[in-house]
């Protein structure tokens, strides 16, 4: 069986703050004592060993471990201060579970209990758990609101933190608020954060790097292109101005490199300095999360497009498709209206607006992968002719790229703050 892995954000319910990510594997636990569990453990353990650095972030990492993974000390490849060990009912009933869990707890690891139920096996593990995860989005077996409230109140009385999972729709999010959960997880989380943005803004550290680069005596066009290409708002703003009546282009410009050449260094500097007067440097976590999503989608789409036979657009255009998939959250307008302002390929418009065509299938694949909808992922990857086993490693490589870039942006933002303070005290 193909193995996939993705991560989903866990958000503080009453704040626009991501506290961690759950790493989700495609899994098949038919019998926890069968040889298949050992095979699954081998696959997951090897993958985590090779990619533990990809999860590196300033957030918590939640991972569900099988008994076999716990017994072979797999959690120890992570920093215990950033690792939360998730356990399910099949771990709890294992005869050696209390011993191994007690050992990890004594070493400083925190635990979360998945899909908590009022039953003896779950209560037996409560002393070890910091987080209680409650699935509120199960439409096949919807939980009674009173029952959910009772679970949350009981757990909070025991000083546990409650995470509402399966939050896929607005109604689920509102239910999480009603039952007073502490955190939420699910595909709706990103959309909930996105609704907090709705303004054109550039990431502070990214914009600062651009200002520094264009201010050099001999600006590096390749470096400028790289900086702009990882920021959806900057990319959109550049393409829009180059294709405006001011430049009166006969042919519409659709790539960042072409736009930079058209504008020229002198006008590029003026444009960047003009933006600096309008740029609100106080970005929030909601904006940062959406930018991370767009940057990750852009890289993922670009790399995967290399492996799709007869893909109809260039890899740079596949990158733009992923990058612009979140523009409607940064500009208060429908995506169809936004894309009319810039000359992106029709295949990109069809993909982002109607999810049609080969590009639309790739876009749907990326969305399904984000949401751990593994059946859809398998069907669409087969449809696109993507090689088996490519997705998981490609995704984690892209996550690592985003993390590395973001760390550099944070450093740039800190440098900008230090310089501003020095000018203030000068």
């Amino acid at each position: 069986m193909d193995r996939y892995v993705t991560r989903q954000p866990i958000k503080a319910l009453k704040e626009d703050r991501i506290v961690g990510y759950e790493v989700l594997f495609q899994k098949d636990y038919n019998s926890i004592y069968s040889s298949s569990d050992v095979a699954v453990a081998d696959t997951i353990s090897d993958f985590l060993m090779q990619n533990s650095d990809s999860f590196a972030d300033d957030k918590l990492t939640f991972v569900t471990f099988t008994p076999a993974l716990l017994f072979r000390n797999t959690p120890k490849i992570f920093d215990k201060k950033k690792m939360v060990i998730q356990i399910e009912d099949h771990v709890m009933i294992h005869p050696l579970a209390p011993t191994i869990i007690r050992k990890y707890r004594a070493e400083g690891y925190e635990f979360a209990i998945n899909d908590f139920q009022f039953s003896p096996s779950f209560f037996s593990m409560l002393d070890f758990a910091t987080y209680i995860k409650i699935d509120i989005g199960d439409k096949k077996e919807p939980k009674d609101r009173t029952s959910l409230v009772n679970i949350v109140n009981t757990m909070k009385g025991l000083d546990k933190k409650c995470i509402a999972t399966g939050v896929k729709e607005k109604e689920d999010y509102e239910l999480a608020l009603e039952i007073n959960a502490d955190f939420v997880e699910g595909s709706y989380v990103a959309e909930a954060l996105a609704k907090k943005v709705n303004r054109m803004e550039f990431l502070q550290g990214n914009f600062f790097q651009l200002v520094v680069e264009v201010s050099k005596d001999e600006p590096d066009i390749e470096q400028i292109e790289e900086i702009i290409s990882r920021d959806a708002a900057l990319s959109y703003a550049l393409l829009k101005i180059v294709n405006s009546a001011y430049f009166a282009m006969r042919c519409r410009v659709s790539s960042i490199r072409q736009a930079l050449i058209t504008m020229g260094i002198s006008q590029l500097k003026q444009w960047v300095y003009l933006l600096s007067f309008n740029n609100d440097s106080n970005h929030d976590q909601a904006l940062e999360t959406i930018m991370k999503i767009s940057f990750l989608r852009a890289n993922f789409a670009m790399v995967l497009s290399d492996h799709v036979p007869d893909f109809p657009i260039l890899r740079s255009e596949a990158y733009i498709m992923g990058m612009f998939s979140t523009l409607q959250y940064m500009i208060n307008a429908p995506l169809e209206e936004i894309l009319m302002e810039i000359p992106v390929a029709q295949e990109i418009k069809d993909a982002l607006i109607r999810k049609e065509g080969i590009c639309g299938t790739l876009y749907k694949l990326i969305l399904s992968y984000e949401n751990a909808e593994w059946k859809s992922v398998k069907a669409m990857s087969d449809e696109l002719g993507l090689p088996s086993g490519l997705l998981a490693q490609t995704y984690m490589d892209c996550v690592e790229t985003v993390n590395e870039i973001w760390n550099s942006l944070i450093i740039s933002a800190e440098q900008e703050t230090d310089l501003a303070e020095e000018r203030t005290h000068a």
Side-chain angles (χ1 to χ4, degrees):
M1 180 186 294
D2 295 332
R3 299 292 170 191
Y4 305 121
V5 60
T6 186
R7 66 178 195 172
Q8 282 193 347
I10 299 174
K11 172 187 172 295
L13 184 56
K14 297 178 182 178
E15 301 174 43
D16 299 326
R17 178 170 59 91
I18 298 297
V19 297
Y21 293 90
E22 178 179 3
V23 178
L24 296 170
F25 289 91
Q26 180 189 14
K27 59 187 180 180
D28 182 16
Y29 300 135
N30 292 324
S31 173
I32 65 169
Y33 300 109
S34 69
S35 60
S36 64
D37 181 56
V38 177
V40 170
D42 284 339
T43 302
I44 294 177
S45 182
D46 290 345
F47 185 87
L48 291 177
M49 286 290 289
Q50 296 171 21
N51 295 279
S52 58
D53 290 343
S54 299
F55 299 100
D57 206 336
D58 59 344
K59 309 292 189 295
L60 294 171
T61 298
F62 291 69
V63 181
T64 299
F65 291 93
T66 67
L69 286 170
L70 289 174
F71 296 147
R72 66 182 61 193
N73 292 323
T74 307
K76 292 189 177 182
I77 66 176
F78 292 93
D79 181 349
K80 68 180 70 175
K81 295 179 181 179
K82 296 181 179 180
M83 158 60 56
V84 178
I85 299 173
Q86 294 188 166
I87 52 176
E88 297 181 333
D89 53 357
H90 65 278
V91 174
M92 298 175 202
I93 63 175
H94 195 287
L96 297 179
T99 301
I100 190 71
I101 290 173
R102 190 176 292 111
K103 185 193 80 167
Y104 279 113
R105 196 72 181 88
E107 292 177 1
Y109 286 88
E110 290 192 324
F111 283 81
I113 297 178
N114 275 348
D115 196 15
F116 183 85
Q117 310 288 331
F118 277 128
S119 70
S121 61
F122 283 90
F123 274 97
S124 67
M125 292 290 109
L126 276 180
D127 286 343
F128 306 109
T130 301
Y131 301 91
I132 303 298
K133 304 188 81 172
I134 309 162
D135 187 356
I136 68 171
D138 189 346
K139 296 298 183 282
K140 294 181 180 178
E141 297 182 15
K143 291 183 175 65
D144 177 67
R145 181 188 177 282
T146 302
S147 175
L148 292 173
V149 170
N150 288 339
I151 292 177
V152 171
N153 288 342
T154 301
M155 293 303 105
K156 287 195 171 185
L158 296 172
D159 200 26
K160 309 299 179 184
K161 300 173 184 177
C162 296
I163 303 175
T165 65
V167 180
K168 299 178 180 179
E169 301 172 2
K170 181 181 179 182
E171 292 74 15
D172 300 327
Y173 194 86
E174 292 173 346
L175 177 57
L177 284 168
E178 286 181 27
I179 66 175
N180 199 28
D182 297 297
F183 309 101
V184 286
E185 176 186 355
S187 55
Y188 186 77
V189 170
E191 187 172 346
L193 280 169
K195 293 181 183 302
K196 303 287 186 177
V197 180
N198 275 334
R199 63 186 184 279
M200 195 69 163
E201 191 173 333
F202 318 115
L203 191 62
Q204 181 182 6
N206 202 46
F207 188 77
F208 178 62
Q209 286 189 351
L210 180 60
V211 172
V212 169
E213 190 59 44
V214 299
S215 300
K216 292 180 179 178
D217 291 337
E218 296 184 8
D220 187 333
I221 289 296
E222 289 188 2
Q223 183 65 23
I224 292 173
E225 180 186 15
E226 181 181 334
I227 294 170
I228 293 176
S229 293
R230 63 189 180 220
D231 191 318
L234 280 174
S235 299
Y236 175 80
L238 176 64
L239 290 176
K240 186 174 181 180
I241 191 171
V242 169
N243 287 285
S244 68
Y246 178 82
F247 284 90
M249 298 295 293
R250 291 184 178 180
C251 298
R252 307 262 284 169
V253 176
S254 60
S255 75
I256 302 301
R257 172 62 68 91
Q258 188 181 2
L260 291 173
I261 293 173
T262 300
M263 182 174 278
I265 292 298
S266 178
Q267 288 182 310
L268 174 64
K269 287 182 178 181
Q270 294 178 28
W271 175 67
V272 172
Y273 295 152
L274 179 62
L275 288 178
S276 67
F277 287 107
N278 298 321
N279 183 35
D280 178 7
S281 62
N282 296 317
H283 70 280
D284 54 29
Q285 286 216 2
L287 174 69
E288 182 176 316
T289 299
I290 297 306
M291 285 187 167
K292 278 187 176 181
I293 290 172
S294 65
F295 191 31
L296 180 57
R297 286 179 182 176
N299 281 275
F300 201 27
M302 180 179 67
V303 177
L304 291 182
S305 70
D306 291 337
H307 301 275
V308 178
D310 301 319
F311 197 66
I313 59 177
L314 300 173
R315 71 193 311 264
S316 60
E317 293 177 309
Y319 183 97
I320 288 290
M321 180 179 75
M323 180 62 75
F324 284 0
S325 64
T326 61
L327 270 181
Q328 70 270 30
Y329 301 128
M330 285 183 261
I331 302 171
N332 194 12
L335 187 58
E336 186 171 8
E337 181 179 320
I338 295 169
L339 294 180
M340 287 177 61
E341 299 281 345
I342 51 177
V344 295
Q346 187 61 44
E347 289 88 347
I348 295 177
K349 293 180 181 179
D350 292 340
L352 295 180
I353 297 170
R354 292 177 287 276
K355 298 183 175 66
E356 294 178 349
I358 296 177
C359 296
T361 301
L362 179 60
Y363 180 48
K364 288 188 292 184
L365 168 63
I366 291 170
L367 297 181
S368 295
Y369 199 93
E370 287 179 0
N371 297 326
E373 297 168 350
W374 305 129
K375 289 184 178 179
S376 297
V377 168
K378 182 66 168 67
M380 285 182 281
S381 60
D382 288 347
E383 182 180 342
L384 291 170
L386 288 170
S388 176
L390 172 73
L391 296 181
Q393 191 58 59
T394 299
Y395 178 82
M396 292 315 305
D397 288 344
C398 292
V399 169
E400 187 169 14
T401 297
V402 171
N403 286 342
E404 290 176 352
I405 294 293
W406 236 254
N407 288 336
S408 72
L409 297 184
I410 291 172
I411 292 172
S412 293
E414 290 174 348
Q415 290 174 339
E416 181 184 12
T417 300
D418 292 342
L419 288 171
E421 291 178 354
E422 289 177 5
R423 287 193 293 268
T424 300
H425 297 295

